[in-house]
């Protein structure tokens, strides 16, 4: 199926993101996939700031700011209200960062997924609480510096496997995507739009401010994450059917790490440990997946 990407832009220039922000590109591409008949539910996150100061908004669709833990429950409620009104056209999109998804909002998301509520949930993952000062989240990868995992005590636990956790609720569609591959991301959003029930898309979104990387390198870093197997692109249908969407180039993980100062303190053996983990996780995924 060939993908036609909308020329329409649903984000205005002049939003409040840092230069090179992956989360902003994530929203741009997601809205290109969904179109203007969309209502966004936005919990506390960088995007609460990026959107702008009331009464201004940088997105051109209705947007509801809500509390950190409530994205999935508010999305469920808005969808129910639309149904009462007989509106079957509008897509409800919960758009949350990793803190609101992996940690603070996980209970509400799990409840909604278990009920198979009819909305799309996008997690833009910048691997820490960036909005409040770069604190560790359960999406922060092993070995990373954050302000709560300083260089002498970097993160000593692996990143939570959120996609598998949410897919295990046997929702109809779950997928990873990356701002480094907009066609794949938009195709997945478009596919999700055509499915009913809870749909979950985990979008890899580099953050130059928190990752201490060059703003001009965000796309390169996002692509390297795919090609070092740090962040594989894959889909899970109905909880069991795994498809890998892009064959990684199998580059050494160091190529990815060295562009981010948050990993600059890592010694050779720690990089080797990360490489071993990445290789093992890829093998684990391969066993369950179809190309
Ligand atoms: S801190 Fe990171 S995620 Fe937040 S707006 Fe800046 S670049 Fe984007």
């Amino acid at each position: 199926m060939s993908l036609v990407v909308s020329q329409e832009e649903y984000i205005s220039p002049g939003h409040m993101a840092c230069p090179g922000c992956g989360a902003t590109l994530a929203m741009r591409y997601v809205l290109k996939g969904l179109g203007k008949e969309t209502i966004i539910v936005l919990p506390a996150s960088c995007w609460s700031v990026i959107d702008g100061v009331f009464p201004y908004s940088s997105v051109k669709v209705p947007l509801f700011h809500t509390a950190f833990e409530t994205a999935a429950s508010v999305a469920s409620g808005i969808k129910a209200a639309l149904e009462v009104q007989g509106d079957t056209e509008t897509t409800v999109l919960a758009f949350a960062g990793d803190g609101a998804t992996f940690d603070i909002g996980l209970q509400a998301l799990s409840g909604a997924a278990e009920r198979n509520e009819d909305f799309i949930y996008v997690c833009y993952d910048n691997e820490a609480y960036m909005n409040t000062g770069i604190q560790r989240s359960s999406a922060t990868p092993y070995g990373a510096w954050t302000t709560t995992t300083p260089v002498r005590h970097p993160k000593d636990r692996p990143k939570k496997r959120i996609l598998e956790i949410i897919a295990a609720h046997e929702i109809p569609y779950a997928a990873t995507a990356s701002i480094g591959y907009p066609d794949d991301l938009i195709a997945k959003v478009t596919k999700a739009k055509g499915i009913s029930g809870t749909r979950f898309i985990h979008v890899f979104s580099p953050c130059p401010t928190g990752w201490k990387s060059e703003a001009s390198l965000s796309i390169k870093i996002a692509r390297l994450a795919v090609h070092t197997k740090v962040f594989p692109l894959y889909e899970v249908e109905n909880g069991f059917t795994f498809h890998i969407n892009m064959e990684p180039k199998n580059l050494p993980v160091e190529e990815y790490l060295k562009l981010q100062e948050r990993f600059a303190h890592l010694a050779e053996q720690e990089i080797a440990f990360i490489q071993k983990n990445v290789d093992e996780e890829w093998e684990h995924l391969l066993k369950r997946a179809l190309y």
Side-chain angles (χ1 to χ4, degrees), residues 186-231:
I186 295 169
K188 284 170 175 167
V189 171
T190 306
K191 180 171 175 178
K193 187 181 176 184
I195 298 171
S196 297
T198 307
R199 294 138 282 164
F200 179 79
I201 303 181
H202 178 194
V203 181
F204 190 81
S205 306
C207 164
T209 305
W211 296 10
K212 297 182 178 294
S213 54
E214 292 290 331
S216 59
L217 293 181
S218 292
I219 303 296
K220 182 173 183 178
I221 289 171
R223 290 180 180 172
L224 278 171
V226 173
H227 290 295
T228 54
K229 303 178 300 205
V230 166
F231 193 87

mmCIF file of all heavy atoms in Angstrom, residues 186-231:
data_model
loop_
_atom_site.group_PDB
_atom_site.id
_atom_site.type_symbol
_atom_site.label_atom_id
_atom_site.label_comp_id
_atom_site.label_asym_id
_atom_site.label_seq_id
_atom_site.Cartn_x
_atom_site.Cartn_y
_atom_site.Cartn_z
ATOM 1 N N ILE A 186 3.766 7.656 10.200
ATOM 2 C CA ILE A 186 2.452 8.120 9.701
ATOM 3 C C ILE A 186 1.631 6.919 9.207
ATOM 4 O O ILE A 186 0.413 6.859 9.417
ATOM 5 C CB ILE A 186 2.635 9.196 8.605
ATOM 6 C CG1 ILE A 186 3.283 10.451 9.212
ATOM 7 C CG2 ILE A 186 1.291 9.555 7.961
ATOM 8 C CD1 ILE A 186 3.757 11.480 8.199
ATOM 9 N N ALA A 187 2.310 5.943 8.585
ATOM 10 C CA ALA A 187 1.582 4.748 8.111
ATOM 11 C C ALA A 187 0.967 4.006 9.304
ATOM 12 O O ALA A 187 -0.173 3.521 9.240
ATOM 13 C CB ALA A 187 2.527 3.829 7.348
ATOM 14 N N LYS A 188 1.693 3.952 10.416
ATOM 15 C CA LYS A 188 1.172 3.243 11.593
ATOM 16 C C LYS A 188 0.004 4.001 12.214
ATOM 17 O O LYS A 188 -0.987 3.399 12.644
ATOM 18 C CB LYS A 188 2.297 3.025 12.606
ATOM 19 C CG LYS A 188 3.231 1.898 12.172
ATOM 20 C CD LYS A 188 4.478 1.796 13.013
ATOM 21 C CE LYS A 188 5.280 0.568 12.575
ATOM 22 N NZ LYS A 188 6.643 0.569 13.119
ATOM 23 N N VAL A 189 0.115 5.331 12.253
ATOM 24 C CA VAL A 189 -0.995 6.129 12.786
ATOM 25 C C VAL A 189 -2.226 5.979 11.893
ATOM 26 O O VAL A 189 -3.364 5.828 12.387
ATOM 27 C CB VAL A 189 -0.565 7.622 12.899
ATOM 28 C CG1 VAL A 189 -1.759 8.501 13.230
ATOM 29 C CG2 VAL A 189 0.530 7.782 13.945
ATOM 30 N N THR A 190 -2.004 5.996 10.593
ATOM 31 C CA THR A 190 -3.120 5.845 9.644
ATOM 32 C C THR A 190 -3.779 4.475 9.821
ATOM 33 O O THR A 190 -5.012 4.350 9.817
ATOM 34 C CB THR A 190 -2.600 6.012 8.194
ATOM 35 O OG1 THR A 190 -1.904 7.250 8.116
ATOM 36 C CG2 THR A 190 -3.728 6.002 7.183
ATOM 37 N N LYS A 191 -2.961 3.457 9.992
ATOM 38 C CA LYS A 191 -3.492 2.102 10.209
ATOM 39 C C LYS A 191 -4.285 2.052 11.515
ATOM 40 O O LYS A 191 -5.404 1.514 11.567
ATOM 41 C CB LYS A 191 -2.323 1.110 10.255
ATOM 42 C CG LYS A 191 -2.709 -0.321 10.474
ATOM 43 C CD LYS A 191 -1.484 -1.204 10.286
ATOM 44 C CE LYS A 191 -1.770 -2.647 10.608
ATOM 45 N NZ LYS A 191 -0.591 -3.495 10.376
ATOM 46 N N ALA A 192 -3.713 2.652 12.565
ATOM 47 C CA ALA A 192 -4.391 2.662 13.872
ATOM 48 C C ALA A 192 -5.739 3.372 13.776
ATOM 49 O O ALA A 192 -6.722 2.954 14.401
ATOM 50 C CB ALA A 192 -3.500 3.341 14.914
ATOM 51 N N LYS A 193 -5.786 4.433 12.978
ATOM 52 C CA LYS A 193 -7.039 5.197 12.842
ATOM 53 C C LYS A 193 -8.172 4.316 12.287
ATOM 54 O O LYS A 193 -9.349 4.515 12.619
ATOM 55 C CB LYS A 193 -6.793 6.401 11.923
ATOM 56 C CG LYS A 193 -7.969 7.357 11.852
ATOM 57 C CD LYS A 193 -7.679 8.513 10.917
ATOM 58 C CE LYS A 193 -8.926 9.392 10.800
ATOM 59 N NZ LYS A 193 -8.748 10.470 9.836
ATOM 60 N N GLY A 194 -7.816 3.358 11.468
ATOM 61 C CA GLY A 194 -8.825 2.485 10.847
ATOM 62 C C GLY A 194 -9.230 1.301 11.711
ATOM 63 O O GLY A 194 -9.987 0.429 11.262
ATOM 64 N N ILE A 195 -8.735 1.220 12.912
ATOM 65 C CA ILE A 195 -9.029 0.090 13.818
ATOM 66 C C ILE A 195 -9.823 0.620 15.008
ATOM 67 O O ILE A 195 -9.623 1.757 15.431
ATOM 68 C CB ILE A 195 -7.694 -0.534 14.319
ATOM 69 C CG1 ILE A 195 -6.883 -1.087 13.142
ATOM 70 C CG2 ILE A 195 -7.934 -1.619 15.359
ATOM 71 C CD1 ILE A 195 -5.466 -1.508 13.518
ATOM 72 N N SER A 196 -10.722 -0.187 15.538
ATOM 73 C CA SER A 196 -11.458 0.211 16.751
ATOM 74 C C SER A 196 -10.811 -0.418 17.980
ATOM 75 O O SER A 196 -10.167 -1.459 17.881
ATOM 76 C CB SER A 196 -12.909 -0.266 16.682
ATOM 77 O OG SER A 196 -13.544 0.348 15.603
ATOM 78 N N GLY A 197 -11.033 0.186 19.118
ATOM 79 C CA GLY A 197 -10.467 -0.323 20.365
ATOM 80 C C GLY A 197 -9.235 0.466 20.759
ATOM 81 O O GLY A 197 -8.924 1.495 20.164
ATOM 82 N N THR A 198 -8.536 -0.013 21.766
ATOM 83 C CA THR A 198 -7.347 0.716 22.240
ATOM 84 C C THR A 198 -6.170 0.443 21.306
ATOM 85 O O THR A 198 -5.818 -0.706 21.055
ATOM 86 C CB THR A 198 -6.979 0.286 23.671
ATOM 87 O OG1 THR A 198 -8.127 0.408 24.509
ATOM 88 C CG2 THR A 198 -5.864 1.169 24.216
ATOM 89 N N ARG A 199 -5.593 1.513 20.820
ATOM 90 C CA ARG A 199 -4.410 1.412 19.962
ATOM 91 C C ARG A 199 -3.287 2.197 20.635
ATOM 92 O O ARG A 199 -3.526 3.306 21.124
ATOM 93 C CB ARG A 199 -4.704 1.984 18.575
ATOM 94 C CG ARG A 199 -5.744 1.158 17.831
ATOM 95 C CD ARG A 199 -6.733 2.034 17.109
ATOM 96 N NE ARG A 199 -7.733 2.600 17.980
ATOM 97 C CZ ARG A 199 -8.512 3.636 17.656
ATOM 98 N NH1 ARG A 199 -8.395 4.211 16.476
ATOM 99 N NH2 ARG A 199 -9.404 4.108 18.522
ATOM 100 N N PHE A 200 -2.094 1.623 20.659
ATOM 101 C CA PHE A 200 -0.984 2.221 21.415
ATOM 102 C C PHE A 200 0.232 2.339 20.500
ATOM 103 O O PHE A 200 0.639 1.355 19.882
ATOM 104 C CB PHE A 200 -0.659 1.327 22.617
ATOM 105 C CG PHE A 200 0.484 1.833 23.463
ATOM 106 C CD1 PHE A 200 0.296 2.859 24.373
ATOM 107 C CD2 PHE A 200 1.753 1.274 23.347
ATOM 108 C CE1 PHE A 200 1.339 3.324 25.164
ATOM 109 C CE2 PHE A 200 2.801 1.732 24.137
ATOM 110 C CZ PHE A 200 2.590 2.759 25.046
ATOM 111 N N ILE A 201 0.788 3.555 20.390
ATOM 112 C CA ILE A 201 1.985 3.744 19.556
ATOM 113 C C ILE A 201 3.070 4.408 20.401
ATOM 114 O O ILE A 201 2.856 5.463 20.996
ATOM 115 C CB ILE A 201 1.667 4.578 18.292
ATOM 116 C CG1 ILE A 201 0.542 3.899 17.502
ATOM 117 C CG2 ILE A 201 2.914 4.718 17.424
ATOM 118 C CD1 ILE A 201 0.140 4.598 16.228
ATOM 119 N N HIS A 202 4.205 3.769 20.448
ATOM 120 C CA HIS A 202 5.348 4.199 21.270
ATOM 121 C C HIS A 202 6.361 4.857 20.331
ATOM 122 O O HIS A 202 6.996 4.181 19.523
ATOM 123 C CB HIS A 202 5.928 2.948 21.950
ATOM 124 C CG HIS A 202 7.133 3.190 22.786
ATOM 125 N ND1 HIS A 202 7.942 2.178 23.231
ATOM 126 C CD2 HIS A 202 7.672 4.333 23.267
ATOM 127 C CE1 HIS A 202 8.925 2.679 23.965
ATOM 128 N NE2 HIS A 202 8.794 3.993 23.987
ATOM 129 N N VAL A 203 6.493 6.177 20.437
ATOM 130 C CA VAL A 203 7.305 6.935 19.472
ATOM 131 C C VAL A 203 8.623 7.388 20.117
ATOM 132 O O VAL A 203 8.617 8.115 21.121
ATOM 133 C CB VAL A 203 6.534 8.170 18.950
ATOM 134 C CG1 VAL A 203 7.389 8.926 17.940
ATOM 135 C CG2 VAL A 203 5.211 7.756 18.307
ATOM 136 N N PHE A 204 9.709 6.988 19.536
ATOM 137 C CA PHE A 204 11.046 7.373 20.004
ATOM 138 C C PHE A 204 11.307 8.828 19.630
ATOM 139 O O PHE A 204 11.288 9.196 18.456
ATOM 140 C CB PHE A 204 12.071 6.453 19.341
ATOM 141 C CG PHE A 204 13.451 6.569 19.900
ATOM 142 C CD1 PHE A 204 13.793 5.912 21.072
ATOM 143 C CD2 PHE A 204 14.418 7.317 19.252
ATOM 144 C CE1 PHE A 204 15.075 6.004 21.591
ATOM 145 C CE2 PHE A 204 15.701 7.410 19.766
ATOM 146 C CZ PHE A 204 16.028 6.758 20.935
ATOM 147 N N SER A 205 11.571 9.673 20.646
ATOM 148 C CA SER A 205 11.614 11.131 20.435
ATOM 149 C C SER A 205 12.830 11.749 21.127
ATOM 150 O O SER A 205 12.754 12.144 22.301
ATOM 151 C CB SER A 205 10.345 11.774 21.010
ATOM 152 O OG SER A 205 9.195 11.178 20.483
ATOM 153 N N PRO A 206 13.952 11.851 20.431
ATOM 154 C CA PRO A 206 15.148 12.433 21.058
ATOM 155 C C PRO A 206 14.896 13.824 21.630
ATOM 156 O O PRO A 206 14.109 14.607 21.089
ATOM 157 C CB PRO A 206 16.157 12.495 19.896
ATOM 158 C CG PRO A 206 15.745 11.393 18.994
ATOM 159 C CD PRO A 206 14.235 11.375 19.062
ATOM 160 N N CYS A 207 15.612 14.105 22.722
ATOM 161 C CA CYS A 207 15.478 15.377 23.442
ATOM 162 C C CYS A 207 16.879 15.973 23.606
ATOM 163 O O CYS A 207 17.619 15.557 24.496
ATOM 164 C CB CYS A 207 14.839 15.103 24.800
ATOM 165 S SG CYS A 207 15.007 16.464 25.972
ATOM 166 N N PRO A 208 17.279 16.901 22.741
ATOM 167 C CA PRO A 208 18.639 17.455 22.822
ATOM 168 C C PRO A 208 18.955 18.048 24.189
ATOM 169 O O PRO A 208 20.089 17.944 24.665
ATOM 170 C CB PRO A 208 18.644 18.556 21.751
ATOM 171 C CG PRO A 208 17.528 18.221 20.831
ATOM 172 C CD PRO A 208 16.503 17.484 21.637
ATOM 173 N N THR A 209 17.968 18.627 24.853
ATOM 174 C CA THR A 209 18.210 19.256 26.159
ATOM 175 C C THR A 209 18.561 18.200 27.209
ATOM 176 O O THR A 209 19.532 18.351 27.952
ATOM 177 C CB THR A 209 16.954 20.038 26.588
ATOM 178 O OG1 THR A 209 16.639 20.946 25.549
ATOM 179 C CG2 THR A 209 17.172 20.798 27.879
ATOM 180 N N GLY A 210 17.791 17.146 27.276
ATOM 181 C CA GLY A 210 18.010 16.119 28.299
ATOM 182 C C GLY A 210 19.074 15.103 27.921
ATOM 183 O O GLY A 210 19.664 14.478 28.794
ATOM 184 N N TRP A 211 19.293 14.926 26.627
ATOM 185 C CA TRP A 211 20.270 13.924 26.196
ATOM 186 C C TRP A 211 21.643 14.560 25.975
ATOM 187 O O TRP A 211 22.597 13.892 25.662
ATOM 188 C CB TRP A 211 19.807 13.221 24.905
ATOM 189 C CG TRP A 211 18.540 12.434 25.080
ATOM 190 C CD1 TRP A 211 17.696 12.435 26.153
ATOM 191 C CD2 TRP A 211 17.970 11.523 24.130
ATOM 192 N NE1 TRP A 211 16.634 11.588 25.933
ATOM 193 C CE2 TRP A 211 16.775 11.016 24.695
ATOM 194 C CE3 TRP A 211 18.346 11.089 22.849
ATOM 195 C CZ2 TRP A 211 15.955 10.093 24.029
ATOM 196 C CZ3 TRP A 211 17.536 10.177 22.176
ATOM 197 C CH2 TRP A 211 16.358 9.677 22.766
ATOM 198 N N LYS A 212 21.662 15.889 26.104
ATOM 199 C CA LYS A 212 22.901 16.657 25.889
ATOM 200 C C LYS A 212 23.502 16.314 24.523
ATOM 201 O O LYS A 212 24.684 15.953 24.405
ATOM 202 C CB LYS A 212 23.893 16.407 27.018
ATOM 203 C CG LYS A 212 23.370 16.891 28.378
ATOM 204 C CD LYS A 212 24.393 16.685 29.469
ATOM 205 C CE LYS A 212 23.901 17.194 30.813
ATOM 206 N NZ LYS A 212 23.714 18.636 30.869
ATOM 207 N N SER A 213 22.651 16.413 23.527
ATOM 208 C CA SER A 213 23.078 16.137 22.152
ATOM 209 C C SER A 213 22.864 17.386 21.309
ATOM 210 O O SER A 213 22.114 18.290 21.686
ATOM 211 C CB SER A 213 22.272 14.956 21.588
ATOM 212 O OG SER A 213 20.879 15.196 21.722
ATOM 213 N N GLU A 214 23.498 17.421 20.150
ATOM 214 C CA GLU A 214 23.320 18.549 19.231
ATOM 215 C C GLU A 214 21.898 18.535 18.689
ATOM 216 O O GLU A 214 21.408 17.479 18.252
ATOM 217 C CB GLU A 214 24.289 18.420 18.053
ATOM 218 C CG GLU A 214 25.742 18.591 18.407
ATOM 219 C CD GLU A 214 26.080 20.028 18.788
ATOM 220 O OE1 GLU A 214 25.411 20.947 18.281
ATOM 221 O OE2 GLU A 214 26.991 20.209 19.618
ATOM 222 N N ALA A 215 21.270 19.712 18.654
ATOM 223 C CA ALA A 215 19.899 19.790 18.128
ATOM 224 C C ALA A 215 19.836 19.301 16.683
ATOM 225 O O ALA A 215 18.851 18.693 16.269
ATOM 226 C CB ALA A 215 19.397 21.234 18.229
ATOM 227 N N SER A 216 20.900 19.528 15.941
ATOM 228 C CA SER A 216 20.891 19.149 14.513
ATOM 229 C C SER A 216 20.999 17.629 14.334
ATOM 230 O O SER A 216 20.852 17.136 13.212
ATOM 231 C CB SER A 216 22.059 19.829 13.791
ATOM 232 O OG SER A 216 23.271 19.423 14.391
ATOM 233 N N LEU A 217 21.267 16.892 15.425
ATOM 234 C CA LEU A 217 21.497 15.445 15.289
ATOM 235 C C LEU A 217 20.290 14.590 15.689
ATOM 236 O O LEU A 217 20.388 13.372 15.716
ATOM 237 C CB LEU A 217 22.703 15.032 16.144
ATOM 238 C CG LEU A 217 24.062 15.582 15.698
ATOM 239 C CD1 LEU A 217 25.169 15.067 16.616
ATOM 240 C CD2 LEU A 217 24.360 15.195 14.251
ATOM 241 N N SER A 218 19.174 15.211 16.017
ATOM 242 C CA SER A 218 18.039 14.420 16.539
ATOM 243 C C SER A 218 17.588 13.326 15.570
ATOM 244 O O SER A 218 17.322 12.187 15.985
ATOM 245 C CB SER A 218 16.860 15.340 16.874
ATOM 246 O OG SER A 218 17.185 16.148 17.976
ATOM 247 N N ILE A 219 17.506 13.654 14.292
ATOM 248 C CA ILE A 219 17.058 12.644 13.317
ATOM 249 C C ILE A 219 18.102 11.529 13.192
ATOM 250 O O ILE A 219 17.765 10.340 13.192
ATOM 251 C CB ILE A 219 16.825 13.289 11.923
ATOM 252 C CG1 ILE A 219 15.813 14.440 12.009
ATOM 253 C CG2 ILE A 219 16.393 12.241 10.900
ATOM 254 C CD1 ILE A 219 14.427 14.044 12.414
ATOM 255 N N LYS A 220 19.374 11.948 13.121
ATOM 256 C CA LYS A 220 20.446 10.946 13.008
ATOM 257 C C LYS A 220 20.437 10.009 14.226
ATOM 258 O O LYS A 220 20.565 8.786 14.093
ATOM 259 C CB LYS A 220 21.799 11.666 12.902
ATOM 260 C CG LYS A 220 22.963 10.731 12.734
ATOM 261 C CD LYS A 220 24.254 11.453 12.459
ATOM 262 C CE LYS A 220 25.362 10.421 12.241
ATOM 263 N NZ LYS A 220 26.625 11.036 11.915
ATOM 264 N N ILE A 221 20.275 10.568 15.406
ATOM 265 C CA ILE A 221 20.246 9.748 16.629
ATOM 266 C C ILE A 221 19.046 8.790 16.600
ATOM 267 O O ILE A 221 19.159 7.613 16.945
ATOM 268 C CB ILE A 221 20.215 10.665 17.876
ATOM 269 C CG1 ILE A 221 21.570 11.352 18.035
ATOM 270 C CG2 ILE A 221 19.844 9.899 19.135
ATOM 271 C CD1 ILE A 221 21.604 12.444 19.094
ATOM 272 N N ALA A 222 17.894 9.293 16.150
ATOM 273 C CA ALA A 222 16.690 8.441 16.087
ATOM 274 C C ALA A 222 16.906 7.281 15.102
ATOM 275 O O ALA A 222 16.505 6.143 15.372
ATOM 276 C CB ALA A 222 15.482 9.282 15.678
ATOM 277 N N ARG A 223 17.574 7.563 13.993
ATOM 278 C CA ARG A 223 17.817 6.480 13.014
ATOM 279 C C ARG A 223 18.851 5.493 13.551
ATOM 280 O O ARG A 223 18.729 4.283 13.349
ATOM 281 C CB ARG A 223 18.262 7.084 11.678
ATOM 282 C CG ARG A 223 17.119 7.804 10.998
ATOM 283 C CD ARG A 223 17.520 8.406 9.677
ATOM 284 N NE ARG A 223 16.377 9.082 9.087
ATOM 285 C CZ ARG A 223 16.434 9.831 8.001
ATOM 286 N NH1 ARG A 223 17.578 10.004 7.367
ATOM 287 N NH2 ARG A 223 15.342 10.407 7.526
ATOM 288 N N LEU A 224 19.876 6.040 14.233
ATOM 289 C CA LEU A 224 20.882 5.138 14.812
ATOM 290 C C LEU A 224 20.265 4.224 15.872
ATOM 291 O O LEU A 224 20.689 3.077 16.027
ATOM 292 C CB LEU A 224 22.021 5.957 15.425
ATOM 293 C CG LEU A 224 23.085 6.441 14.440
ATOM 294 C CD1 LEU A 224 24.033 7.432 15.117
ATOM 295 C CD2 LEU A 224 23.874 5.264 13.869
ATOM 296 N N ALA A 225 19.275 4.724 16.601
ATOM 297 C CA ALA A 225 18.606 3.875 17.599
ATOM 298 C C ALA A 225 17.982 2.651 16.931
ATOM 299 O O ALA A 225 18.007 1.542 17.470
ATOM 300 C CB ALA A 225 17.549 4.679 18.352
ATOM 301 N N VAL A 226 17.427 2.848 15.745
ATOM 302 C CA VAL A 226 16.838 1.714 15.004
ATOM 303 C C VAL A 226 17.957 0.787 14.507
ATOM 304 O O VAL A 226 17.882 -0.441 14.666
ATOM 305 C CB VAL A 226 16.003 2.223 13.817
ATOM 306 C CG1 VAL A 226 15.541 1.053 12.936
ATOM 307 C CG2 VAL A 226 14.807 3.029 14.319
ATOM 308 N N HIS A 227 19.016 1.375 13.952
ATOM 309 C CA HIS A 227 20.011 0.545 13.271
ATOM 310 C C HIS A 227 21.064 -0.062 14.193
ATOM 311 O O HIS A 227 21.855 -0.906 13.771
ATOM 312 C CB HIS A 227 20.619 1.327 12.100
ATOM 313 C CG HIS A 227 19.613 1.488 11.012
ATOM 314 N ND1 HIS A 227 19.112 0.419 10.322
ATOM 315 C CD2 HIS A 227 18.946 2.586 10.559
ATOM 316 C CE1 HIS A 227 18.198 0.840 9.463
ATOM 317 N NE2 HIS A 227 18.072 2.153 9.588
ATOM 318 N N THR A 228 21.074 0.375 15.471
ATOM 319 C CA THR A 228 21.891 -0.319 16.475
ATOM 320 C C THR A 228 21.032 -1.321 17.259
ATOM 321 O O THR A 228 21.520 -1.949 18.200
ATOM 322 C CB THR A 228 22.509 0.697 17.465
ATOM 323 O OG1 THR A 228 21.455 1.489 18.008
ATOM 324 C CG2 THR A 228 23.523 1.587 16.778
ATOM 325 N N LYS A 229 19.731 -1.401 16.925
ATOM 326 C CA LYS A 229 18.755 -2.288 17.579
ATOM 327 C C LYS A 229 18.378 -1.817 18.980
ATOM 328 O O LYS A 229 17.795 -2.566 19.761
ATOM 329 C CB LYS A 229 19.268 -3.740 17.617
ATOM 330 C CG LYS A 229 19.599 -4.298 16.253
ATOM 331 C CD LYS A 229 20.133 -5.704 16.322
ATOM 332 C CE LYS A 229 21.363 -5.770 17.130
ATOM 333 N NZ LYS A 229 22.266 -6.855 16.864
ATOM 334 N N VAL A 230 18.754 -0.586 19.320
ATOM 335 C CA VAL A 230 18.340 -0.022 20.612
ATOM 336 C C VAL A 230 16.826 0.174 20.636
ATOM 337 O O VAL A 230 16.173 -0.045 21.660
ATOM 338 C CB VAL A 230 19.070 1.323 20.857
ATOM 339 C CG1 VAL A 230 18.434 2.109 21.995
ATOM 340 C CG2 VAL A 230 20.549 1.082 21.142
ATOM 341 N N PHE A 231 16.260 0.578 19.499
ATOM 342 C CA PHE A 231 14.810 0.823 19.432
ATOM 343 C C PHE A 231 14.277 0.238 18.120
ATOM 344 O O PHE A 231 14.101 0.944 17.126
ATOM 345 C CB PHE A 231 14.519 2.330 19.510
ATOM 346 C CG PHE A 231 13.060 2.634 19.763
ATOM 347 C CD1 PHE A 231 12.556 2.694 21.058
ATOM 348 C CD2 PHE A 231 12.174 2.835 18.702
ATOM 349 C CE1 PHE A 231 11.214 2.960 21.294
ATOM 350 C CE2 PHE A 231 10.828 3.097 18.925
ATOM 351 C CZ PHE A 231 10.351 3.165 20.225
#
